[in-house]
Amino acid sequence: MNNMKKSYCIICYDILKLKISNHVRDSNHHKVFQCSKCKHVQLNPIPSIEEDKVFYDNNLQEKNVEYHGSIKDNRKKSIHDLNRRVEFVEKITPKNRKILEIGSGYGFFLEQMKKKNYDIVGIEVSKERRIISKKITNAKVLDVNFMSDDVKLGKFNTIVLFHVLEHISNLELFLKNIKKMLYKHGKVIIEVPNFDDYQIKINHEYKEWNLQRAHLHYFTPKTIKLILQKYGLKNVKIFGVQRYGLGNMFNWKINRKPQLENPLFEFKEGYEEIENNYKKYLEKNLISDTLIVIGY
């Protein structure tokens, strides 16, 4: 008699059968499966809310990496993404509107948007990051449990989540809470890693590095659209974003490991046209390393 506990897809509740990996880079206890029905890829087992609280309060996602650097280092490493995100949100959110950033980290985005006169509030579950972010910005940084049915923060014009949704255990409750906090014509901007990333298909070490304990979900354009529409967000638009450049791709091809101290986002000095064509091709075909999704 088979006494093995069955695991189920967090989206369509079908039994998980297709194993992607027996481990993730920072845990031999966790595996990665793909649902044969809806094709969603997820961690197994899914950690409990209590386990995740300990994990994030102690900033273990970052500390599980051999190099996690100082705040100054992290600011320098994040500046490319920060500038891109600020510009993107500015384009579609008029000045003085109310913005909520869920997963505000060290507060770099809060700091910049506050300077641009947006009424912005941050939510950060990591106790360590909340303490640091309050030294960086005077924007409110709150500890709010979105896994509760009783989230009351008021209404916002725009809610942003940069590499947050892949960490959420209860997507249904989380997205329903977001939906009820949006004004009638409000929007949610979600940035997630893309499991259809071309590098994942061609580089085994790159794929292994991307599988980690913190990521409970591995989204593709198809599955993230399915999830958002299922839980009530409409007019879902998906854009490809290639964060890392040719230098990063060559590094993975040659050295088979990440550039932790100095990640290469772009080649310059004569390589601009090649760099731009490389990124545009991946973004157009939604096989870039990152997806940005807007839901209304």
Side-chain angles (χ1 to χ4, degrees):
M1 185 175 178
N2 189 355
N3 292 319
M4 290 185 66
K5 186 178 179 181
K6 293 179 180 179
S7 299
Y8 296 88
C9 174
I10 216 164
I11 306 304
C12 71
Y13 313 114
D14 200 42
I15 297 173
L16 292 174
K17 298 175 184 177
L18 182 60
K19 190 183 295 182
I20 301 293
S21 177
N22 274 320
H23 64 278
V24 295
R25 77 181 188 211
D26 51 355
S27 172
N28 289 322
H29 174 63
H30 295 88
K31 300 174 175 58
V32 179
F33 280 81
Q34 183 176 41
C35 175
S36 57
K37 185 177 180 181
C38 74
K39 306 303 179 185
H40 182 58
V41 177
Q42 69 180 61
L43 193 74
N44 184 52
I46 295 289
S48 68
I49 292 173
E50 292 75 19
E51 288 171 332
D52 263 353
K53 179 171 175 51
V54 172
F55 186 84
Y56 289 110
D57 269 348
N58 291 284
N59 204 12
L60 292 180
Q61 180 187 10
E62 194 163 292
K63 290 176 180 176
N64 281 350
V65 179
E66 292 178 7
Y67 172 88
H68 61 274
S70 66
I71 299 306
K72 184 179 179 180
D73 293 332
N74 277 284
R75 184 188 285 276
K76 181 181 177 182
K77 283 166 57 179
S78 68
I79 195 68
H80 184 274
D81 281 331
L82 177 62
N83 291 339
R84 171 180 58 80
R85 290 164 181 166
V86 168
E87 183 180 348
F88 185 85
V89 175
E90 268 193 298
K91 283 181 180 178
I92 59 177
T93 306
K95 286 285 192 293
N96 301 313
R97 293 299 196 271
K98 294 184 68 177
I99 299 176
L100 175 67
E101 183 185 12
I102 302 175
S104 54
Y106 295 120
F108 301 140
F109 181 79
L110 296 176
E111 177 189 36
Q112 291 302 311
M113 299 307 283
K114 189 80 171 175
K115 287 179 180 178
K116 292 177 179 291
N117 297 317
Y118 285 95
D119 182 3
I120 188 165
V121 176
I123 303 293
E124 177 53 52
V125 297
S126 168
K127 181 179 179 181
E128 186 173 306
R129 291 190 180 195
R130 283 197 307 275
I131 292 170
I132 294 169
S133 65
K134 288 177 182 179
K135 298 176 182 178
I136 289 172
T137 176
N138 61 1
K140 287 183 180 179
V141 182
L142 307 174
D143 178 17
V144 175
N145 178 16
F146 270 78
M147 298 297 102
S148 166
D149 289 310
D150 192 33
V151 177
K152 294 178 181 177
L153 290 172
K155 297 280 188 178
F156 296 87
N157 303 99
T158 302
I159 298 177
V160 299
L161 304 90
F162 301 124
H163 291 254
V164 170
L165 197 65
E166 64 270 22
H167 300 263
I168 303 303
S169 58
N170 189 333
L171 290 174
E172 180 176 6
L173 182 56
F174 184 83
L175 290 170
K176 284 181 177 179
N177 275 328
I178 285 178
K179 185 183 174 186
K180 73 182 183 183
M181 289 191 300
L182 287 171
Y183 282 120
K184 185 176 180 180
H185 299 292
K187 63 185 76 69
V188 57
I189 301 170
I190 299 170
E191 182 175 312
V192 292
N194 181 15
F195 202 63
D196 274 351
D197 181 353
Y198 185 64
Q199 282 263 67
I200 286 177
K201 295 180 180 179
I202 64 171
N203 192 308
H204 175 73
E205 286 81 6
Y206 178 86
K207 177 181 178 180
E208 291 285 295
W209 175 257
N210 276 273
L211 301 178
Q212 56 179 290
R213 151 66 179 85
H215 289 182
L216 312 186
H217 311 279
Y218 296 86
F219 298 111
T220 66
K222 179 181 177 181
T223 59
I224 194 163
K225 185 173 185 178
L226 173 70
I227 290 161
L228 295 186
Q229 289 178 335
K230 179 177 181 179
Y231 297 131
L233 289 167
K234 300 178 180 179
N235 302 321
V236 175
K237 298 179 181 179
I238 301 176
F239 306 90
V241 174
Q242 183 61 31
R243 298 168 69 204
Y244 297 100
L246 281 168
N248 181 267
M249 184 268 287
F250 288 135
N251 173 72
W252 274 105
K253 183 67 176 175
I254 296 167
N255 298 318
R256 305 283 177 173
K257 61 182 181 180
Q259 299 163 307
L260 295 176
E261 295 187 38
N262 188 28
L264 280 174
F265 291 102
E266 56 190 358
F267 266 152
K268 294 183 178 179
E269 300 175 0
Y271 292 93
E272 288 89 349
E273 185 175 356
I274 300 172
E275 181 81 47
N276 288 337
N277 287 337
Y278 166 72
K279 289 185 175 181
K280 284 180 180 178
Y281 175 80
L282 298 175
E283 290 170 353
K284 180 181 177 181
N285 291 282
L286 296 182
I287 53 174
S288 50
D289 55 48
T290 302
L291 299 172
I292 284 190
V293 189
I294 305 177
Y296 296 86

